[in-house]
């Protein structure tokens, strides 16, 4: 079969790499793809939000299955258009995808589904939002309602800072119209975990949980980023916790979406906070996480494509995927200055020297005359597998040291808490 992977990041590189291992695929295309997917599959160059272009390509090449990576393509209605042309697509419709593209929608959906989530208020008017905060005299998480490429959630320290954050999003419009409406959310403490699942409109098959690191600097300091790395599995979120989250979060939400006439098909990502008052949902994403996909997909034993196809067909049935007991750690190598301004065009050395069971999933690279060069803020995710989290972590950082480019930065503390807590046990 012919498979089209939509997107251009390290997540899509990981999906492409895994899809190519399937004996079922005789061609894998990417839209648009990146420098590294171009070396293993066929880049179409069609942008992920060029819906007409993708629909045309799928029809002309008779693509059997389209897999949507980024949220922008979901929100632009790619799944709707492909389904209208009787094409199989992994990824939700724009209506079901509102679970990510509107934070206010996700909150009201959770209220209707009886899913635990921090208390919240929705505001269209910055003055009213600020009056509310002044009355409460404490900090709230400030979230842009719409899609904001990871820049729409601000976590202030106190009430004054919350007022600043409201101005930043609603008056200074740092994320544009995405913050014409905001959600003010109660701050909750705990440990964050990402739980992704295949959802076929009805059935839910959980993938192993992962943790990601959103802050730029060690010790969770510095600005929020699109993700600086992650690891899987998660010691504080084992099989019992997964089963409970499936039963209490994913199944009720999927059922409510189905009852609303907007069934969800694709990967559903729940960002969970595990704290003293149990598990609460901080956010949903209507897609695979990035960098969660990069650390979870290498742990899949066997074929990804039947899993994607069964999800897209609404036929997960009793499908169960088999996952390696090995651990994975992913380190994002970034350009100095990211997530602010940074320079690009620097040669990347050492990629040919990384060890077996270590994968370099590219995001911001380009193919230069003498090899890959940097072309973005997050350049690549280096993922290592190991028999324990300690081994995966050691292998990841040992191989990070083999790679060099001008201004290369990364976090040094990824998965450290897992390794340290294992030592204490
Ligand atoms: N890792 C968070 C996200 O994919 O949005």
């Amino acid at each position: 079969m012919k498979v089209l992977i939509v997107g251009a990041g390290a997540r899509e590189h990981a999906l492409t790499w895994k899809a190519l291992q399937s004996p079922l695929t005789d061609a894998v295309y990417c839209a648009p793809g990146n420098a590294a997917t171009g070396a293993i599959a066929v880049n179409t160059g069609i942008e992920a939000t060029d819906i007409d272009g993708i629909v045309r390509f799928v029809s002309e090449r008779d693509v059997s299955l389209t897999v949507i990576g980024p949220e922008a393509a979901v929100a632009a209605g790619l799944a709707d258009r492909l389904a209208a042309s009787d094409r199989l697509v992994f990824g939700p419709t724009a209506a079901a995808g509102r679970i990510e593209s509107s934070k206010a929608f996700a909150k009201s959906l959770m209220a209707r589904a009886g899913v635990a989530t921090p208390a919240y208020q929705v505001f269209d008017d910055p003055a009213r939002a600020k009056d509310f905060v002044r009355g409460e005299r404490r900090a709230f998480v400030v979230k842009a309602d719409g899609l904001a490429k990871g820049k729409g959630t601000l976590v202030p320290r106190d009430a004054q800072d919350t007022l600043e954050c409201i101005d930043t999003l609603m008056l200074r419009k740092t994320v544009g119209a995405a913050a014409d409406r905001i959600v003010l959310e109660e701050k909750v403490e705990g440990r964050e975990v990402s739980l992704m699942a295949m959802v076929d409109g009805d059935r839910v098959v959980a993938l192993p949980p992962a943790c990601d690191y959103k802050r730029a600097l060690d010790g969770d300091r510095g600005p929020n980023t699109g993700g600086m790395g992650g690891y899987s599995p998660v010691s504080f979120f084992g099989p019992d916790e997964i089963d409970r989250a499936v039963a209490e979060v994913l199944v009720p939400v999927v059922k409510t979406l189905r009852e609303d006439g907007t069934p969800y098909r694709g990967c559903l990502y729940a960002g969970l906070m595990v704290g003293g008052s149990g598990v609460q949902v901080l956010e949903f994403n209507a897609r695979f996480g990035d960098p969660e996909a990069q650390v979870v997909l290498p742990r899949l034993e066997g074929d990804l494509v039947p899993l994607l196809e069964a999800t897209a067909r609404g036929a997960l049935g009793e499908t169960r995927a088999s996952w390696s007991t090995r651990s994975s750690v992913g380190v994002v190598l970034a350009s100095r200055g990211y997530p602010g301004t940074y320079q690009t065009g620097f040669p990347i050395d050492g990629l040919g020297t990384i060890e077996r069971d270590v994968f370099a999933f590219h995001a911001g690279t380009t193919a230069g005359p003498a090899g890959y060069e940097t072309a973005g803020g997050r350049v690549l995710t280096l993922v290592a597998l190991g028999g324990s989290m300690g081994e995966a972590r050691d292998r990841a950082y040992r191989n990070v040291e083999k790679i060099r480019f001008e201004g290369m930065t990364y976090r040094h503390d990824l998965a450290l808490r897992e390794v340290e807590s294992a030592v204490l046990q």
Side-chain angles (χ1 to χ4, degrees):
M1 63 194 285
K2 296 175 185 167
V3 176
L4 172 66
I5 310 286
V6 176
R11 168 184 54 203
E12 287 78 18
H13 185 189
L15 284 164
T16 303
W17 163 79
K18 200 66 193 166
L20 277 163
Q21 292 168 15
S22 171
L24 300 173
T25 53
D26 43 44
V28 177
Y29 303 104
C30 300
N34 62 35
T37 64
I40 56 173
V42 180
N43 281 352
T44 64
I46 305 169
E47 287 301 323
T49 50
D50 177 357
I51 307 302
D52 288 340
I54 292 174
V55 171
R56 202 176 313 119
F57 182 87
V58 166
S59 163
E60 282 169 8
R61 299 295 174 102
D62 197 19
V63 170
S64 324
L65 172 67
T66 301
V67 181
I68 305 178
E71 61 273 23
V74 172
L78 177 56
D80 306 64
R81 287 283 306 281
L82 287 168
S85 330
D86 279 332
R87 294 288 170 177
L88 197 59
V89 56
F90 178 95
T93 59
R98 281 182 300 163
I99 199 163
E100 175 171 9
S101 63
S102 169
K103 305 298 173 242
F105 172 83
K107 285 290 201 182
S108 71
L109 176 68
M110 284 188 269
R112 289 190 293 124
V115 169
T117 185
Y120 72 102
Q121 301 278 334
V122 179
F123 293 95
D124 297 310
D125 176 358
R128 281 180 185 272
K130 291 200 280 190
D131 282 347
F132 172 76
V133 173
R134 286 191 195 100
E136 294 287 327
R137 297 180 179 191
R138 59 203 167 93
F140 289 85
V141 178
V142 186
K143 293 184 171 180
D145 180 55
L147 296 179
K149 297 185 179 159
K151 296 189 175 124
T153 296
L154 304 180
V155 186
R157 292 178 303 278
D158 52 27
Q160 186 56 39
D161 200 17
T162 307
L163 300 177
E164 271 297 309
C165 291
I166 293 169
D167 282 349
T168 300
L169 289 179
M170 296 193 92
L171 298 182
R172 289 194 281 280
K173 295 196 174 292
T174 49
V175 296
D180 285 350
R181 169 173 290 174
I182 59 163
V183 173
L184 294 184
E185 186 181 74
E186 204 78 37
K187 279 180 94 169
V188 288
E189 301 294 328
R191 292 184 286 189
E192 283 188 51
V193 61
S194 310
L195 183 63
M196 301 184 287
M198 300 294 191
V199 175
D200 74 350
D202 181 19
R203 299 189 72 86
V204 173
V205 176
L207 313 187
C211 283
D212 71 339
Y213 290 76
K214 295 192 176 80
R215 298 283 186 153
L217 305 175
D218 290 2
D220 286 331
R221 292 173 302 110
N224 263 329
T225 69
M228 293 302 289
Y231 65 83
S232 176
V234 179
S235 63
F236 65 87
F237 213 77
D240 290 347
E241 286 82 8
I242 297 169
D243 286 350
R244 200 158 163 201
V246 168
E248 294 180 3
V249 173
L250 296 175
V251 166
V253 156
V254 168
K255 180 167 178 281
T256 304
L257 283 169
R258 192 175 64 244
E259 288 168 356
D260 286 351
T262 53
Y264 191 102
R265 283 190 186 167
C267 177
L268 180 58
Y269 167 128
L272 305 175
M273 181 67 91
V274 184
S277 49
V279 170
Q280 299 196 78
V281 179
L282 299 182
E283 63 172 357
F284 284 108
N285 292 325
R287 53 175 171 79
F288 289 103
D290 184 341
E292 287 88 342
Q294 295 93 296
V295 292
V296 167
L297 290 174
R299 298 187 57 222
L300 175 62
E301 288 177 334
D303 199 338
L304 174 66
V305 171
L307 202 53
L308 298 171
E309 191 185 7
T311 304
R313 284 197 193 286
L316 272 172
E318 295 308 310
T319 305
R320 285 282 170 275
S322 170
W323 298 94
S324 164
T325 55
R326 301 176 83 196
S327 299
S328 65
V329 174
V331 183
V332 169
L333 306 184
S335 300
R336 187 191 299 123
Y338 172 80
T341 51
Y342 52 82
Q343 290 183 301
T344 59
F346 299 116
I348 305 171
D349 294 325
L351 282 171
T353 66
I354 60 178
E355 294 168 26
R356 206 171 146 265
D357 282 349
V358 180
F359 313 101
F361 295 123
H362 292 226
T365 69
T366 189
Y372 290 111
E373 296 176 358
T374 64
R378 290 199 298 164
V379 175
L380 52 89
T381 314
L382 195 87
V383 179
L385 291 169
S388 65
M389 193 59 79
E391 189 186 319
R393 182 181 143 78
D394 288 347
R395 183 174 285 159
Y397 281 107
R398 191 164 68 232
N399 283 274
V400 163
E401 284 170 17
K402 293 173 187 270
I403 297 176
R404 286 169 306 281
F405 57 84
E406 177 71 32
M408 180 172 111
T409 64
Y410 57 91
R411 277 186 65 154
H412 304 80
D413 60 348
L414 304 180
L416 187 58
R417 61 189 182 213
E418 285 284 343
V419 177
E420 286 176 347
S421 75
V423 169
L424 291 176
Q425 276 164 16

